[in-house]
Amino acid sequence: MRVPSIPAADFLPLVPAIILLVGACVLLMTEVFLRSPSRGYQAPLSLFFTGLAGAVSLSSAFEPARPVFQGFAAQDPFSSAVTLVVCVALGLAVLTSSGFLRSRNAERGEFYALMLFAASGMSLLAMSTELITLFINIEVLSVGTYALTSYLRRGTRPAEAGFKYFILGAFSSAILLYGAALLYGATGSTKLSEMAVVLPAALAAQPALVYAGALLVAGGFAFKVAAVPFHMWTPDVYEGAPTPVTALMSAGVKAAAFAAMIRVFLVLGKGMDPSVPLALFSGLAYLTMIVGNLLALPQRNVKRMLAYSSIGHAGYLLVGVAALFVTAEAPAGDGFRFFGATPLLAPGLSEVAARADALKGLLFYLLAYTVTTVGSFGVLAALERSEDEPKGTAWDLDRFAGLAQRRPGWAFAMAVFMLSLGGVPPTVGFMGKLLIFRSAVDTGLVGLAVVGVLTSAAAIYYYLRVVVAMYMRPAPEDERIPVTLSWGTELALALSALAVVVLGILPGTVTDWLQQASTLWLGQ
Amino acid sequence: MNAEVVLFYAFAVLALLSAGMVIASRSPINSALSLVATFFFLAGTYVLLLAHTIAVLQVLVYAGAIMVLFLFVIMLLNLTETEGERAKVTFGRVAGALAAVSLFALLALVVMGVKGAPTAMATAELARFGTLAALGQTLYTEWLLPFEAVSLLLLVAIVGAVVVAKARI
């Protein structure tokens, strides 16, 4: 039997995930050796580990792409960039958690530990290049978030949310695994690099098996990123989960799941007719953009509105994913003509350049969405009162009435986040949408770009409704001054508002860096 | 028709029958016991596939440990056999049923169309294939990363279970 040797350098790409893992274990241990009831140090401690992991992934971001562990994972700039986005989401979520948990008398080491565990799963997922490793890491991040969803058990909502998320999540994982099994049956390997080599032959021998496997895998991923028609769980779970957890779910889980989906389908797309993944992802993108934004329109509950808005944003990201599969020449034979003529690249644009542009747009959008959405959930977390939660009025639009007079800083930050989510310049949300839609137009996916712009315009209505409530409605008389005052929340809001504006005005440095980060290791 | 084929069909048909019983039977205890039977017959098919270790683990872990826990939980919950309300026919249910049936039909078509290929393994290799030694060697060398990831998964699951099971946080 061949015993492969694994050089020590193969462990280097895992360092960010290992740091997060060690941090989680340290936080668990702080509960064991607890000497005083004050737990104020736990959030800074988690923040330290998050920052360390982020710094390490940043420092390794420019190393050349290479496979590690015999092709079970890959070290590439793409995975480093995704890990960095995850660390940003985690850091901001931890900052908002401390005040949120303390006001509910629920600050425990396990909470931060589970957050760090989930984040290390996300980091590992971004670099997995083998279907079983990928599945296990999806489960690590999912199990962490299942437990976090029902962490606070006040009223029936968290229990319902946790149970729903667990059952549907397990179901979708099973679908993904079934698809992976079919792909293994067709290609005889679970490593993406080996599958890419065998795929053309496998496709010629038994096309139905390959396509069925790819479809099921896509279905499993579509659930994780909350794409329509796999979105039903999102509003209930996002509403029932503790607000900082919702922030981590909407930003970190989405980023990691998108990263894994892109990696898998770039490999599968090399072997099969590229118009199949193109039709699949443009179909999902159309549905997700339209349905997500339409369902958000009537929401008066701001937390539910943000949940539907996160579905809509998954749709914009799917536009970027679809743009990855457009080729320079029409594929031979009769490919799927799902939406009229086959889109082609703009003249003078090479496939490599178009793909790098689309990846850069996707990464930038993920970063932009992360700072914006975690910030807006941070405002929600600061405003909600625990006694309103069982009644379900904790996140009503009325809670925002007159916020500009009572807490002008928060109102301004929330206004910035809402404008960024709506894609209004000069915020980072606008830059993200610009990059995504530009690569859609460059690749000939004009229909997707048009629908994207139209739905963004419609979305401004429900985002601005929050701004109007904050600035133009009088505060209710009996309203007590909110609510959770803590340095963590204030810092998180200030940082994310600053990031939204600065990245919106001067995106250059980050986009240049992400341009380099758009390299993936996909096998030879 | 050799003995292997006869055994395969016996195990397959019995596994399908007992899996059907899991869904069809009204009492949760009967369902759980049918699940035990399903696991046993699945273990039989694993043996036919030369995956001896997996077959033993299937019986020990699933049919043994996990199903005992299942039965404990069912008995602790003390479920009485009450007739539930008749499910109403709604648009969502009909659409869901249609989607499930069409997915099943699609997958059945795909699986029926699979062309089997004779294995490329030599006899000596086949004899080693499903043994504990071969499994261990693969798991701890080539599959090191997924193996470690599983230990991370188990740790997260334990911590998560303790958090969820706490009376109140």
Side-chain angles (χ1 to χ4, degrees), chain A residues 124-358:
Chain A
L124 288 172
L125 178 61
M127 62 178 73
S128 307
T129 54
E130 192 263 349
L131 288 177
I132 293 178
T133 317
L134 192 127
F135 169 75
I136 294 169
N137 290 322
I138 286 184
E139 285 306 289
V140 171
L141 78 90
S142 304
V143 169
T145 39
Y146 299 152
L148 283 170
T149 303
S150 45
Y151 176 80
L152 285 175
R153 284 181 297 284
R154 316 273 197 268
T156 52
R157 269 160 213 274
E160 185 202 333
F163 192 68
K164 203 173 236 174
Y165 194 26
F166 176 60
I167 295 288
L168 290 176
F171 188 65
S172 79
S173 299
I175 287 181
L176 191 132
L177 203 56
Y178 199 104
L182 292 188
L183 285 175
Y184 174 68
T187 59
S189 174
T190 53
K191 286 183 196 170
L192 290 178
S193 53
E194 289 173 11
M195 286 169 85
V197 178
V198 193
L199 209 55
L203 207 56
Q206 17 205 17
L209 203 57
V210 177
Y211 285 128
L215 266 183
L216 289 176
V217 170
F221 277 126
F223 176 90
K224 295 290 174 203
V225 303
V228 179
F230 303 93
H231 66 288
M232 297 294 193
W233 58 279
T234 318
D236 293 337
V237 172
Y238 278 24
E239 192 188 355
T243 311
V245 176
T246 314
L248 183 68
M249 274 199 283
S250 71
V253 172
K254 194 163 276 182
F258 260 105
M261 182 165 88
I262 288 166
R263 202 184 276 280
V264 169
F265 277 90
L266 277 181
V267 171
L268 294 184
K270 280 207 288 191
M272 62 176 66
D273 180 355
S275 56
V276 177
L278 179 63
L280 179 71
F281 287 115
S282 5
L284 278 178
Y286 276 119
L287 273 176
T288 310
M289 284 190 292
I290 294 171
V291 174
N293 283 306
L294 278 186
L295 288 177
L297 281 177
Q299 295 301 328
R300 278 193 65 83
N301 178 336
V302 179
K303 203 174 180 185
R304 271 185 102 79
M305 182 273 275
L306 284 174
Y308 283 113
S309 125
S310 117
I311 300 175
H313 283 276
Y316 302 131
L317 284 159
L318 283 167
V319 173
V321 178
L324 293 171
F325 298 102
V326 177
T327 46
E329 289 158 29
D334 50 313
F336 281 69
R337 297 286 181 275
F338 216 65
F339 300 101
T342 315
L344 290 177
L345 294 182
L349 193 66
S350 75
E351 260 173 58
V352 178
R355 183 167 286 181
D357 271 352

Side-chain angles (χ1 to χ4, degrees), chain A residues 56-112:
Chain A
V56 170
S57 61
L58 187 63
S59 71
S60 64
F62 296 110
E63 283 175 25
R66 67 190 168 103
V68 291
F69 291 97
Q70 321 274 316
F72 280 83
Q75 147 92 329
D76 50 22
F78 179 74
S79 64
S80 300
V82 174
T83 304
L84 198 65
V85 171
V86 166
C87 286
V88 168
L90 177 66
L92 292 173
V94 164
L95 275 177
T96 50
S97 308
S98 68
F100 180 86
L101 292 176
R102 205 168 308 141
S103 71
R104 283 158 185 73
N105 198 15
E107 193 169 32
R108 300 280 183 282
E110 296 96 304
F111 182 86
Y112 298 112

Side-chain angles (χ1 to χ4, degrees), chain B residues 4-16 37-56 58-59 129:
Chain B
E4 206 173 316
V5 177
V6 174
L7 274 177
F8 169 74
Y9 278 110
F11 285 137
V13 168
L14 287 170
L16 281 179
T38 316
F39 286 151
F40 265 109
F41 296 127
L42 273 182
T45 42
Y46 291 159
V47 172
L48 291 179
L49 288 168
L50 294 179
H52 315 292
T53 316
I54 303 290
V56 171
Q58 169 90 1
V59 173
F129 174 70

Side-chain angles (χ1 to χ4, degrees), chain B residues 115-136:
Chain B
K115 305 177 197 89
T119 173
M121 280 191 218
T123 323
E125 223 179 326
L126 275 181
R128 266 180 55 80
F129 174 70
T131 59
L132 206 51
L135 189 74

Side-chain angles (χ1 to χ4, degrees), chain A residues 488-503:
Chain A
T489 312
E490 306 274 349
L491 185 62
L493 295 187
L495 282 179
S496 29
L498 197 67
V500 166
V501 176
V502 169
L503 288 179

